Amino acid sequence: MTVAVFFGCAFIAFGPAFALFIFTIAKDPLRVIILIAGAFFWLLSLLLSSLVWFIAVKASNADNASLQRGLLIFGVIFSVLLQEVFRFAYYRLLRKANEGLATISDEEASPISVQQMAYVAGLGFGIMSGAFSMINILSDSLGPGTVGIFGDSQYYFITSALMTMAMTLLHTFWGVVFFHGCEKGNWWVTATVVCLHLLVSCLSLLNPLYEGSLPPVYCVMVVMAVWAFFSSGGSLNNLAQLCTRRKTDVSTS
Amino acid sequence: MRRMGPEIPKWFMILSVCWLYKGVTCNSVEQKIYVALNNTVPCVRLLNATHQIGCQSLKSGSTGVLHVLQSEADLDWVLSTGPHPPYMVFMEASFFNNVTMMRLKNSTRVAGVAVVIPNTGPAQGYSPHTGCPNQNTGVYSEKYGPLLANCNNTVWNPLGNGLSYEDFRFPIFSLKDDNETEVIRKCFEDHNVAANGSAPQYPLCAMQLFSHMSAVIDTPTCMRRNHLQNSFSINPDMVCDPLRDYNVIAYLRPVNTSTKGHKANESVVIAATRLDGRSFFWDIAPAAEGTVAGFVTLLAAAHALFPVAQEVPPPRNILFTFFQGETFDYIGSSRMVYDMQNKKFEIDLDNVHSVLELGQVGLWNRQKLWMHSDPISRLNSSVEEEVGNLVNNIKFVASQMNLSVEEPSVSQALPPSSFQRFLRVRPVPGIVIADHEAAFVNRYYESIYDNAEYLNVAYPSNMSEAEQLDTVTDTARSLAEAATLVARSLYKQAGGSDPLLSNITADPKIVTQLLYGFLIQPNNSWFRALFRPDHQQVLKGVQSNYVGVRMPENAVKESTLLFQYILANLTGKATNLTQSQCQNPSDLPEESKDLYSYMWVKGPVSANETEGSPYCVRASTRLHEAYSPAFLLSDYASKEYSTWTESRWKVIKARIFLVASQELEMLTLGVGVAVLLVSLLVTYFMSSKAEILFSSARETSTTTY
């Protein structure tokens, strides 16, 4: 759909992730490493779940549409569960690494806190997930045509980009909440994260009924944003302090 | 499958599936957007010494909103009133005429044209060729018969609208009326038609045509660029190629081809015709009446003549020549005359006694054949005498056969024919036999409609191939009579004795098999038996008689090679040589590669076998290069010789899809930029205030966000 749509969708899908990377991750090499390793863990989970789906599809009858749809739903659920398993595995790995980092650093404690690692890991998952969702669609959006000749919706590119942005941010928030739950031993928190991930992925199965998939996903994203804010140390008090600090700055200057 | 979906398994899966196994249905995004059109034929660019003709698209394809032309009002929509230019015009063949195409050509709102071509042409006739074919390279000019030059006294092709020789700056593709065309029409009706003539809403159905041509301006420019590429580039990117192929020739009495120049005691009657045709679109040239009828008749004449003439040889030799590339300013015949003049051919012009050429003979239907001659050369009394002899010989044979063959009632020019190239150099006596007295009777001269149906060569569809090969059509019968006439006239002209003439008869069965092979299906059992065992796969589809370009440079066009094998089989002898002897006959004492060609052919295949019983055919045929002397002399702006070249291209394809409105695209870009800026601002803000925002549960205070 031409260059304008290409850049528009690229900015929508990857804008927040890019901003987060530039301002919070890029300056600290340790965070960059954790980000990339997180992306790699997500890739591993995708590889394994796709192998399973691929074998299932090859072993089944390609012409039976309802069977293929059923296999797709099974693939979705299996993949979500596998991603969360890998997220947990990454959590264990980072915990171990944290102890090592603490011993080799100049001060007593590790140079990076678990919350920061949680955020970076979540962002890593989100970026790789977004890349895999969106790059294929972006490359086709460069051509002159748009989706629709077979009756699909012409808003395909925009809704894909919006969905990708939501998923990237959601992965980030899930990372924070998940690690927080594992640290504190609140397994119900972890279970909720998994359930919400399943919910969001299954909502996307409703496409192209975009009204049924996008608004609920954005609602979930807002809820997760608030939850992540609170579990990483924010509070209403802090927000109030922010405003008063500003006011005092203004009044003193 | 209609979701962007749960990103994780689907995309990776589908891509890996798509890459590795094509059996599983792929639903990549590209397949949701584009519908590729596979059965299309483009119009390509040809260049000569001064001009470029044909069509070309933009480098990355020409895109336009589809519009189907059904009436004049639609033409106005495209040219002036439609709100979404440029338009890609989709039309039926009835609109593909001079008037409409000239209006479209001059408009900037047209991105391209797609034409649906049916199997039969419009009843009133249609010819995209010029009205006066090859007018600058024939014999008539300011200096020779100025009153006859440029078709001043007879317009040969009055139906010609000259579209093939126009230069279009947009692509023109032809489509067949099949499922793909239905898809296009449906797409148009679903998206591009609004109620009551108001503007249709986006998304609109659009078509993109790719046919970018590398060569521009004219032949000297493109040849210069070729040389630059060759000299300075490691990986030369040529831009054009000269049109070239080979003429096929056969001698009645073998002539030593290794010695060039004048041959003593050799007086040759040349029997000539052309092998090629063209149409508006690339590599489509059925040329049934224009070309195929002529060479089939001459093939049948050779087949009838050789047995008798080899038993009782006439005093003069007879050379059957089938010239290639005649449509494009006489490539083949000009090269042969050039070689004769420069002692590069095994005989020279002094050896040529007379010329008998077959023009278009397909539509004579046993009514009347006409003998055309050149009135200017006949002003010379000796030439007049020879031509008169030739005419009398033909009339004698015709009266014997009860056929009507006459000279035209008024003195007029020669029709476009290879014989004109001989006359340019020397006043050789000659006659061109054709089925038209003045203007062509061929209503579809050099067009896509000059096909088997026009020549009435048609078979009921329930016949098997063997039955179709055996059926003798009326056209075949009438062409066989013409062939008999030509063969007997040649024998008499060569000095053969009259009583033997009645032994020379063309076989209608051979004619009908030849017509079947060249007009309907070359991949038939008879052609397969006559051709090489290892090349059988080349016989596919209806033969195109377009001369084309050769890659690699000295290759022979497959259909020309097939033609040589057929000529060899019809005029030569089967020998007992083995395959290795056939390939190297010079070891054997009685065989000579200078006099004959030896060809290993597959042989007839009986019902139960797949392998034929191959044998070696010995015939006095050979291939003669039909490469314009202009390229030999590197005189690319030559006015004497043909300078036609064909451009090269990289991609030729067509596809349709929907396009979205500019507003939606800009909106997407705007939203994207807004999201990016907002997220940058918010992140910067949160990052700088992180100590305040995330103060309660921090473990260390050393690192900041």
Side-chain angles (χ1 to χ4, degrees):
Chain A
M1 227 166 114
T2 72
V3 180
V5 171
F6 173 79
F7 279 110
C9 288
F11 289 159
I12 294 176
F14 298 116
F18 177 70
L20 287 171
F21 182 82
I22 291 278
F23 287 119
T24 60
I25 310 239
K27 285 180 292 213
D28 188 359
L30 190 55
R31 294 188 194 183
V32 173
I33 294 171
I34 298 179
L35 181 88
I36 295 185
F40 177 69
F41 265 71
W42 186 88
L43 259 184
L44 273 182
S45 78
L46 179 70
L47 177 66
L48 287 175
S49 57
S50 65
L51 265 175
V52 169
W53 181 87
F54 185 65
I55 293 172
V57 160
K58 286 304 282 178
S60 68
N61 179 9
D63 297 326
N64 188 347
S66 58
L67 176 64
Q68 294 298 318
R69 189 171 167 83
L71 276 180
L72 186 69
I73 298 175
F74 157 72
V76 166
I77 297 176
F78 183 73
S79 178
V80 167
L81 294 174
L82 207 57
Q83 280 176 55
E84 298 303 329
V85 164
F86 270 74
R87 205 196 297 271
F88 184 71
Y90 195 43
Y91 164 74
R92 300 295 301 218
L93 180 68
L94 285 176
R95 285 297 275 146
K96 278 254 173 60
N98 215 7
E99 291 158 26
L101 284 170
T103 50
I104 62 169
S105 83
D106 293 333
E107 298 122 24
E108 288 283 325
S110 145
I112 187 166
S113 71
V114 177
Q115 278 139 337
Q116 290 160 17
M117 284 197 296
Y119 157 71
V120 174
L123 186 60
F125 268 50
I127 288 180
M128 192 46 94
S129 152
F132 262 68
S133 313
M134 202 58 200
I135 298 288
N136 177 35
I137 298 175
L138 275 180
S139 79
D140 283 318
S141 75
L142 267 178
T146 184
V147 176
I149 197 166
F150 292 110
D152 309 299
S153 161
Q154 60 158 330
Y155 300 111
Y156 184 82
F157 293 122
I158 302 174
T159 49
S160 303
L162 289 170
M163 189 73 175
T164 304
M165 173 171 84
M167 283 305 297
T168 309
L169 291 173
L170 273 172
H171 268 292
T172 315
F173 302 142
W174 282 331
V176 171
V177 174
F178 189 95
F179 279 36
H180 178 78
C182 290
E183 277 287 292
K184 297 290 190 277
N186 292 340
W187 301 111
W188 63 269
V189 166
T190 325
T192 315
V193 166
V194 177
C195 288
L196 280 177
H197 192 169
L198 273 172
L199 173 70
V200 166
S201 289
C202 291
L203 275 176
S204 76
L205 286 168
L206 285 177
N207 284 340
L209 185 67
Y210 295 122
E211 302 85 6
S213 66
L214 275 179
V217 168
Y218 271 77
C219 292
V220 171
M221 186 178 85
V222 169
V223 166
M224 285 306 307
V226 169
W227 193 355
F229 177 67
F230 282 118
S231 44
S232 60
S235 65
L236 292 171
N237 220 356
N238 292 346
L239 281 175
Q241 267 192 5
L242 195 65
C243 297
T244 53
R245 185 69 76 86
R246 265 248 209 92
K247 277 205 197 121
T248 54
D249 279 340
V250 166
S251 61
T252 53
S253 64
Chain B
M1 302 287 208
R2 292 165 292 149
R3 65 208 61 71
M4 161 213 141
E7 54 281 23
I8 314 92
K10 179 176 159 282
W11 181 83
F12 182 76
M13 302 315 303
I14 285 165
L15 207 58
S16 61
V17 165
C18 284
W19 276 105
L20 302 174
Y21 297 94
K22 288 149 190 129
V24 179
T25 50
C26 290
N27 32 351
S28 80
V29 182
E30 198 178 347
Q31 289 182 322
K32 285 186 206 246
I33 305 180
Y34 302 107
V35 176
L37 303 172
N38 292 324
N39 303 332
T40 57
V41 184
C43 131
V44 299
R45 173 172 282 169
L46 294 161
L47 308 101
N48 72 358
T50 48
H51 289 85
Q52 63 182 24
I53 65 173
C55 335
Q56 89 144 8
S57 77
L58 299 172
K59 188 136 193 194
S60 52
S62 293
T63 316
V65 172
L66 197 60
H67 196 76
V68 173
L69 266 195
Q70 278 149 345
S71 65
E72 278 299 310
D74 288 323
L75 201 52
D76 288 325
W77 180 269
V78 170
L79 292 174
S80 44
T81 54
H84 312 291
Y87 283 96
M88 189 65 77
V89 180
F90 179 87
M91 57 167 70
E92 304 285 337
S94 51
F95 279 97
F96 193 52
N97 53 35
N98 213 0
V99 172
T100 317
M101 290 310 293
M102 285 300 127
R103 286 182 72 184
L104 290 177
K105 177 181 160 171
N106 293 329
S107 164
T108 49
R109 288 165 53 109
V110 177
V113 173
V115 190
V116 181
I117 302 273
N119 280 336
T120 45
Q124 70 272 20
Y126 174 82
S127 168
H129 210 77
T130 51
C132 197
N134 289 344
Q135 68 189 67
N136 296 322
T137 41
V139 67
Y140 300 108
S141 64
E142 296 299 313
K143 298 199 263 313
Y144 188 101
L147 295 173
L148 303 173
N150 299 328
C151 293
N152 269 338
N153 82 335
T154 320
V155 177
W156 295 111
N157 188 22
L159 291 168
N161 56 26
L163 271 183
S164 289
Y165 288 83
E166 292 286 342
D167 179 29
F168 292 96
R169 45 153 206 82
F170 49 74
I172 304 181
F173 275 53
S174 90
L175 307 163
K176 291 234 144 279
D177 200 354
D178 56 8
N179 288 342
E180 283 182 354
T181 338
E182 275 315 302
V183 169
I184 298 176
R185 278 189 247 259
K186 183 162 186 314
C187 182
F188 175 73
E189 254 136 57
D190 288 341
H191 297 102
N192 290 18
V193 177
N196 297 336
S198 60
Q201 295 296 319
Y202 276 102
L204 294 175
C205 195
M207 179 151 63
Q208 186 175 35
L209 301 178
F210 291 81
S211 67
H212 179 74
M213 300 287 141
S214 308
V216 284
I217 308 175
D218 57 20
T219 296
T221 307
C222 91
M223 294 307 284
R224 186 183 74 232
R225 291 182 186 182
N226 273 353
H227 286 144
L228 281 173
Q229 283 288 326
N230 258 334
S231 324
F232 293 114
S233 177
I234 297 177
N235 205 3
D237 199 9
M238 305 299 226
V239 291
C240 70
D241 301 290
L243 294 180
R244 62 186 297 182
D245 189 31
Y246 288 83
N247 302 323
V248 182
I249 64 178
Y251 289 95
L252 180 60
R253 265 202 321 269
V255 168
N256 191 336
T257 55
S258 56
T259 56
K260 312 283 184 194
H262 185 78
K263 289 259 183 338
N265 302 331
E266 191 75 59
S267 174
V268 181
V269 175
I270 295 185
T273 189
R274 65 163 56 175
L275 270 185
D276 72 321
R278 72 164 300 190
S279 73
F280 184 81
F281 299 100
W282 179 65
D283 208 18
I284 301 242
E289 142 78 340
T291 303
V292 176
F295 69 65
V296 163
T297 308
L298 200 58
L299 274 178
H303 175 70
L305 181 58
F306 268 61
V308 174
Q310 272 162 354
E311 240 187 81
V312 186
R316 299 190 191 101
N317 204 347
I318 304 179
L319 168 59
F320 287 85
T321 52
F322 298 86
F323 291 115
Q324 182 70 275
E326 299 301 275
T327 318
F328 291 100
D329 289 339
Y330 306 120
I331 300 177
S333 53
S334 66
R335 177 60 188 270
M336 179 171 279
V337 172
Y338 174 83
D339 280 353
M340 283 183 178
Q341 279 179 298
N342 291 297
K343 316 277 183 245
K344 296 208 184 88
F345 195 66
E346 49 265 21
I347 58 176
D348 77 351
L349 285 164
D350 293 324
N351 291 119
V352 173
H353 173 261
S354 47
V355 175
L356 177 63
E357 178 164 347
L358 273 184
Q360 304 180 63
V361 294
L363 293 175
W364 82 288
N365 283 336
R366 284 185 255 180
Q367 277 151 10
K368 227 179 176 98
L369 278 176
W370 299 93
M371 296 181 285
H372 296 267
S373 57
D374 168 43
I376 310 287
S377 63
R378 285 176 82 169
L379 294 175
N380 176 319
S381 54
S382 56
V383 173
E384 167 69 40
E385 202 187 313
E386 287 296 335
V387 175
N389 278 344
L390 182 47
V391 168
N392 288 336
N393 287 340
I394 301 177
K395 280 193 171 158
F396 176 80
V397 170
S399 63
Q400 249 194 358
M401 294 171 62
N402 258 339
L403 297 178
S404 171
V405 185
E406 313 232 339
E407 289 188 79
S409 41
V410 291
S411 158
Q412 65 183 5
L414 267 182
S417 51
S418 318
F419 176 47
Q420 288 199 21
R421 293 301 302 195
F422 286 85
L423 279 179
R424 256 174 100 110
V425 170
R426 186 180 291 212
V428 180
I431 288 284
V432 176
I433 297 184
D435 56 13
H436 52 91
E437 183 184 358
F440 294 158
V441 292
N442 186 354
R443 294 201 311 274
Y444 304 116
Y445 183 63
E446 310 286 30
S447 96
I448 207 171
Y449 305 117
D450 188 7
N451 50 21
E453 264 184 66
Y454 184 50
L455 217 49
N456 285 326
V457 174
Y459 303 89
S461 45
N462 53 7
M463 278 183 147
S464 72
E465 180 196 285
E467 286 170 355
Q468 286 177 342
L469 268 181
D470 280 340
T471 316
V472 178
T473 52
D474 281 340
T475 318
R477 259 182 261 275
S478 77
L479 287 185
E481 286 207 27
T484 309
L485 171 75
V486 168
R488 291 184 186 180
S489 310
L490 280 173
Y491 190 66
K492 194 157 159 53
Q493 176 71 4
S497 55
D498 291 351
L500 289 168
L501 286 179
S502 45
N503 293 346
I504 304 174
T505 318
D507 183 2
K509 187 123 186 310
I510 295 282
V511 175
T512 198
Q513 285 180 322
L514 286 170
L515 283 175
Y516 180 77
F518 285 114
L519 290 177
I520 298 187
Q521 177 58 273
N523 194 3
N524 60 61
S525 52
W526 189 52
F527 275 18
R528 281 198 296 268
L530 301 179
F531 200 40
R532 295 159 65 141
D534 53 340
H535 261 51
Q536 300 278 310
Q537 72 281 3
V538 304
L539 306 164
K540 55 186 186 306
V542 175
Q543 177 168 289
S544 159
N545 297 305
Y546 171 62
V547 54
V549 300
R550 304 275 76 79
M551 275 189 281
E553 275 197 0
N554 293 330
V556 184
K557 187 165 163 236
E558 288 295 340
S559 53
T560 308
L561 194 61
L562 169 67
F563 189 85
Q564 190 201 7
Y565 272 65
I566 294 174
L567 181 60
N569 185 288
L570 291 178
T571 61
K573 285 194 176 42
T575 62
N576 289 334
L577 300 178
T578 63
Q579 184 168 10
S580 54
Q581 285 174 330
C582 202
Q583 275 152 4
N584 287 319
S586 15
D587 304 334
L588 300 164
E590 325 83 58
E591 313 291 356
S592 161
K593 261 202 128 135
D594 292 336
L595 296 176
Y596 296 102
S597 298
Y598 296 84
M599 295 160 199
W600 188 250
V601 303
K602 183 173 177 184
V605 176
S606 64
N608 301 338
E609 305 167 0
T610 47
E611 293 303 313
S613 37
Y615 57 95
C616 188
V617 172
R618 183 188 74 181
S620 53
T621 83
R622 81 175 185 93
L623 294 174
H624 170 251
E625 195 178 45
Y627 182 44
S628 173
F631 295 102
L632 277 183
L633 303 167
S634 295
D635 177 17
Y636 305 125
S638 166
K639 292 198 186 358
E640 272 284 301
Y641 302 109
S642 164
T643 48
W644 285 104
T645 53
E646 183 189 90
S647 167
R648 285 208 190 182
W649 58 82
K650 299 250 164 51
V651 178
I652 298 231
K653 60 177 183 172
R655 55 186 185 179
I656 57 170
F657 44 85
L658 295 189
V659 285
S661 62
Q662 278 276 51
E663 288 82 25
L664 184 58
E665 295 177 8
M666 289 304 143
L667 177 70
T668 314
L669 182 62
V671 168
V673 170
V675 163
L676 181 67
L677 288 175
V678 164
S679 53
L680 281 169
L681 282 170
V682 168
T683 312
Y684 176 71
F685 178 70
M686 286 186 57
S687 162
S688 60
K689 300 281 186 260
E691 289 143 16
I692 310 170
L693 280 174
F694 300 102
S695 59
S696 2
R698 286 250 306 258
E699 292 175 49
T700 72
S701 55
T702 49
T703 53
T704 55
Y705 272 93

